Amino acid sequence: MLNNLLYFIMKVLVATEKPFAKVAVDGIRQVVEENGGELVLLEKYTSVDQFKKAVSDVEALIVRSDKVTSEILDAAKNLKIVVRAGAGYDNLDLEACTKKGVVAMNTPGQNSNAVAELAIGLMIYISRACFSGVSGTEISGKTLGIHAYGNVGKLVGRAASSLGMKVAAYDPFITDASVYAKDSVTKMDSIKDLYSKNQYVSIHIPATKETIGSIGYDLAMSMPKNGVLVNTARKEVIDEEGLLKALLERTDLKYVTDVAPERSAEYCEKLGTRFFATPKKMGAQTAEANINAGIAAAKQIVDFIKNGNRRFQLNK
Ligand code: 3PG
């Protein structure tokens, strides 16, 4: 009875500082409206106050990397569910969600291919000296270490081996050797081995208490000659000072990243074409990823409100 009532009055806010492609918004709207709901759109907002105002009377919220803090949750008087349309949920305050009785979910796997394609693209871009006109190198025949073998890591591995790279991976949460063997990927037993034995390393770890600032001077310095570090995960996992120090000491190393580091200007100035950062997080910025993650989020909301389905709940 309660579920039916919520189902009929459902108001869903899509709050995206970095908007979805229009085609994805249309798809989300269709799912919401077909299920008796109303879609409210807040795009490219510039202040927390705008977000607080928009969220004040909605039952459901879809976000991307937008920060859902206790301040936002306090303003969201009717909120029952928030879905991060994407994989990484370091932008959701899960404790505050639980305190407020708000169910928090993500949509794992829905935008992985876009991120994986970007990782490969960045690898090639930096290896070709950012297409600056000077001679670069190829990735075929080189070794690639994948740091975390989840949805994105697996897709990067598959694409890289089809381009002729020799792929290895390290993931502390996947200890079953058959997972790697099945994909013809060499299982690495430590982070240290991953970085010291592979010329390219592609980072796919989430930003957590344990991983923030965990990749810096020592790991970079341990990389083989002409090492290339590729980061399409989170800028927070990098110890920026330590990495810059290593890049300045080892002029053979390169760093390419989706999302500029805090010290981007200094990195650019000191490293030239050995460094490249996207101006905005671009990993999931494809129409396909927006459609997949956005529509999955809308469907998860409907399924939760109508049927109580909590499959992707994060704050259990
Ligand atoms: C994710 O965690 O899903 C990706 O980093 C994409 O984030 P975005 O939706 O903010 O582009």
Side-chain angles (χ1 to χ4, degrees):
M1 181 62 192
L2 180 64
N3 278 345
N4 279 342
L5 184 64
L6 292 174
Y7 165 48
F8 284 113
I9 60 169
M10 179 175 69
K11 205 166 174 184
V12 181
L13 170 68
V14 173
T16 46
E17 184 270 321
K18 183 179 62 185
F20 288 121
K22 184 182 175 303
V23 61
V25 176
D26 292 345
I28 296 169
R29 187 185 304 283
Q30 194 180 337
V31 172
V32 170
E33 290 180 355
E34 272 174 5
N35 285 280
E38 180 190 342
L39 188 84
V40 184
L41 202 54
L42 176 70
E43 291 182 326
K44 295 185 185 170
Y45 60 92
T46 49
S47 76
V48 171
D49 282 345
Q50 282 174 281
F51 194 175
K52 278 164 67 177
K53 190 161 176 259
V55 84
S56 63
D57 64 343
V58 304
E59 282 80 34
L61 170 64
I62 296 175
V63 292
R64 295 185 65 176
S65 289
D66 309 78
K67 285 195 170 52
V68 180
T69 59
S70 55
E71 192 184 350
I72 295 295
L73 291 162
D74 280 342
K77 302 284 178 234
N78 301 336
L79 197 66
K80 307 283 176 292
I81 176 167
V82 52
V83 183
R84 191 284 190 243
Y89 50 88
D90 44 309
N91 55 317
L92 306 183
D93 185 336
L94 292 186
E95 237 173 76
C97 285
T98 305
K99 241 190 235 162
K100 289 268 160 198
V102 172
V103 167
M105 296 186 185
N106 64 346
T107 65
Q110 298 291 344
N111 59 18
S112 305
N113 190 63
V115 181
E117 285 190 13
L118 183 73
I120 298 285
L122 290 176
M123 246 178 248
I124 294 173
Y125 185 67
I126 200 85
S127 302
R128 293 293 184 95
C130 304
F131 303 149
S132 57
V134 303
S135 185
T137 55
E138 298 173 25
I139 62 171
S140 181
K142 310 296 191 305
T143 50
L144 167 67
I146 298 176
H147 192 170
Y149 202 52
N151 290 319
V152 181
K154 287 187 176 121
L155 290 168
V156 170
R158 198 189 301 167
S161 46
S162 74
L163 289 166
M165 297 188 93
K166 295 172 196 123
V167 181
Y170 171 73
D171 192 320
F173 299 102
I174 305 177
T175 49
D176 179 356
S178 70
V179 173
Y180 305 89
K182 186 169 64 59
D183 299 341
S184 304
V185 163
T186 305
K187 179 178 178 294
M188 293 274 145
D189 292 322
S190 67
I191 297 184
K192 226 169 130 207
D193 278 358
L194 186 82
Y195 281 74
S196 63
K197 295 187 173 160
N198 292 285
Q199 184 183 343
Y200 287 72
V201 172
S202 189
I203 305 168
H204 302 290
I205 53 176
T208 64
K209 273 204 306 286
E210 292 73 31
T211 64
I212 287 173
S214 64
I215 299 161
Y217 183 79
D218 291 342
L219 287 176
M221 288 301 283
S222 76
M223 291 184 79
K225 191 166 166 39
N226 299 325
V228 178
L229 191 56
V230 184
N231 181 11
T232 52
R234 291 287 182 271
K235 66 179 173 186
E236 289 81 3
V237 302
I238 301 293
D239 161 15
E240 291 187 8
E241 197 180 327
L243 179 60
L244 184 59
K245 185 164 181 269
L247 287 160
L248 292 173
E249 278 176 36
R250 287 266 312 269
T251 54
D252 60 309
L253 296 181
K254 294 187 171 87
Y255 178 49
V256 63
T257 178
D258 184 22
V259 177
E262 293 300 321
R263 310 165 62 134
S264 194
E266 195 181 352
Y267 268 64
C268 266
E269 187 202 329
K270 294 185 170 159
L271 301 169
T273 55
R274 290 198 291 131
F275 167 74
F276 174 77
T278 55
K280 245 183 201 275
K281 187 143 68 85
M282 292 298 296
Q285 273 303 60
T286 66
E288 294 88 341
N290 290 175
I291 291 167
N292 293 343
I295 291 180
K299 286 186 173 164
Q300 285 173 215
I301 286 171
V302 169
D303 205 14
F304 170 70
I305 301 278
K306 283 173 79 173
N307 310 315
N309 189 337
R310 291 168 182 256
R311 178 164 172 221
F312 294 104
Q313 185 169 356
L314 300 162
N315 57 338
K316 283 180 189 156

